[in-house]
Amino acid sequence: MAEAIELTVGGRTVRVSNPGKPYFADKGITKGDVVQYFLSVGDGILGALRDRPTTLERWPSGVFEGAKLSTRADNRGDAFYQKRVPKGAPDYVETARITFPSGRPADEVCPTELAVVAWAVNLGTLTFHPWPVRRPEVDRPDQLRVDLDPQPGTSFRDAVTVAHELRGLLDELGMTGFPKTSGGRGLHVYVPIEPRWTFVEARRALIALGRELARRMPDQVTVNWWKEERGERIFIDFNQMARDRTIACAYSIRPTARALVSAPLAWDEIDDAEPEDLDAHTMPARFAKVGDLHAGVAERACSLEPLLELVARDERDGLGDLPYPPEYPKMAGEPKRVQPSRARPEE
């Protein structure tokens, strides 16, 4: 491995240690290549992260067969989520104070310039997980993130079919969506919104959006939280809008052997898109050709009112909240967090 090198990024000097270290051995991608990849899509990755509290998904030893991510239940993994700014961060690494569902606060990295991205990548960051908020309004989401999650028996093509229906529904509601690949089998659609509502309201709005899609496509879409009830349908993961739940941002590299990328798409591309073709090797040339297809996410802001009207309609019809993730405190109006097959009959 080569000794450390120094790069000039936006007038900053960023040290990259062990640039020749294999990060994706099957693809011949080194740590230095990963840094150069993010610099090549600089305007895009910074557009996705700027002023957003961001969790870093760090793979300091790269991605290799058998590598796994640490979890709450098992912290012995090869990679981990960094939710607090690391000690010794350069003075140009700014932070934002956020509050977890438990009520505990934390100062998270809040990128404001491309040097911060390069610094984070030197720490092994492959995937960036920004919150759907911007400083100073860290409790008011400015994005509704629709995660079209293929369940067993479904595929990316099924997610594309649902995405077309979603686009039509958003048009009816006066809203605009921006699609991207997840970096796996799924599809994400970002809907920029005015930062006027709380996480609870934004999550309920996403539930209402998912329910309306499920009404229109009952055999293809579900909002059932419990896996045993989803079937072979696309799951609208509404809990991605819960506080401290995030989605891999556009241009992030996913920890797959093929170094796939979460890639923005134009709506007229989604039918022909092949997620497997969008990786750290191919994305720089694509970015140079088409630019940042998610630039409009920061340039528009839709009202959430049309979706909140659907929330009110659902409530009149007896459809209330849905379960939160298991690590969350019990929320007001939330139904029981009991898997249906394990629920006891009401006495």
Side-chain angles (χ1 to χ4, degrees):
M1 299 180 190
E3 295 181 1
I5 60 173
E6 291 187 344
L7 300 175
T8 300
V9 183
R12 307 282 191 189
T13 298
V14 179
R15 182 178 183 273
V16 179
S17 60
N18 298 322
K21 185 176 185 177
Y23 259 33
F24 296 88
D26 291 347
K27 297 284 286 186
I29 295 175
T30 66
K31 180 180 182 179
D33 294 332
V34 172
V35 175
Q36 291 298 331
Y37 160 76
F38 279 107
L39 295 181
S40 75
V41 296
D43 289 344
I45 187 65
L46 189 56
L49 298 176
R50 193 190 305 273
D51 291 325
R52 298 188 184 279
T54 300
T55 297
L56 310 178
E57 185 179 331
R58 294 175 57 184
W59 292 78
S61 297
V63 177
F64 53 90
E65 186 175 356
K68 64 179 182 178
L69 189 63
S70 292
T71 64
R72 288 183 177 86
D74 182 0
N75 64 0
R76 297 170 296 175
D78 306 283
F80 58 95
Y81 291 110
Q82 180 94 46
K83 290 196 172 187
R84 290 176 168 82
V85 63
K87 292 181 180 179
D91 58 9
Y92 59 80
V93 177
E94 298 187 27
T95 63
R97 173 149 289 204
I98 49 85
T99 304
F100 297 124
S102 64
R104 292 181 296 110
D107 293 317
E108 282 208 333
V109 172
C110 188
T112 56
E113 55 184 290
L114 191 55
V116 176
V117 175
W119 162 81
V121 175
N122 180 58
L123 297 179
T125 303
L126 297 178
T127 308
F128 293 85
H129 297 264
W131 283 43
V133 300
R134 284 190 175 189
R135 293 186 310 180
E137 299 291 344
V138 295
D139 293 314
R140 303 281 173 171
D142 69 342
Q143 294 174 347
L144 204 65
R145 297 173 175 176
V146 189
D147 183 1
L148 304 178
D149 186 6
Q151 299 304 290
T154 63
S155 67
F156 178 78
R157 293 293 146 220
D158 297 301
V160 166
T161 299
V162 174
H164 283 300
E165 186 68 30
L166 169 62
R167 186 188 187 190
L169 175 55
L170 290 174
D171 285 345
E172 292 175 24
L173 297 170
M175 307 178 85
T176 303
F178 295 81
K180 70 179 182 70
T181 64
S182 67
R185 298 191 311 126
L187 196 62
H188 300 156
V189 178
Y190 280 22
V191 182
I193 60 174
E194 299 166 358
R196 295 167 47 197
W197 294 276
T198 65
F199 275 99
V200 170
E201 290 169 315
R203 177 178 171 277
R204 288 299 303 274
L206 184 53
I207 290 173
L209 182 68
R211 281 175 167 154
E212 182 59 27
L213 276 175
R215 290 187 190 98
R216 299 181 181 201
M217 309 179 76
D219 296 328
Q220 296 162 283
V221 175
T222 181
V223 292
N224 290 334
W225 176 245
W226 304 106
K227 291 183 180 180
E228 64 187 35
E229 295 185 324
R230 293 177 190 171
E232 294 185 0
R233 292 178 286 183
I234 299 298
F235 172 52
I236 308 298
D237 191 352
F238 53 87
N239 271 328
Q240 294 292 12
M241 280 308 300
R243 179 185 291 274
D244 192 34
R245 292 293 286 259
T246 55
I247 288 177
C249 78
Y251 307 103
S252 281
I253 302 178
R254 306 313 303 273
T256 61
R258 301 180 64 178
L260 299 182
V261 171
S262 181
L265 300 171
W267 279 108
D268 61 7
E269 291 183 299
I270 64 173
D271 287 319
D272 297 323
E274 295 290 346
E276 295 80 8
D277 294 337
L278 300 167
D279 61 27
H281 277 314
T282 62
M283 197 64 190
R286 172 177 165 80
F287 186 83
K289 179 180 180 181
V290 305
D292 180 17
L293 296 180
H294 266 211
V297 175
E299 298 169 356
R300 304 186 186 186
C302 305
S303 173
L304 209 57
E305 292 291 353
L307 281 175
L308 294 178
E309 292 175 7
L310 294 185
V311 172
R313 183 193 67 183
D314 287 345
E315 289 179 340
R316 289 193 298 269
D317 292 340
L319 297 174
D321 206 350
L322 292 173
Y324 275 78
E327 70 271 16
Y328 279 63
K330 185 68 175 179
M331 302 294 285
E334 181 191 0
K336 292 180 180 180
R337 285 185 210 168
V338 180
Q339 193 171 329
S341 61
R342 298 182 179 180
R344 295 180 180 179
E346 296 290 341
E347 295 183 358

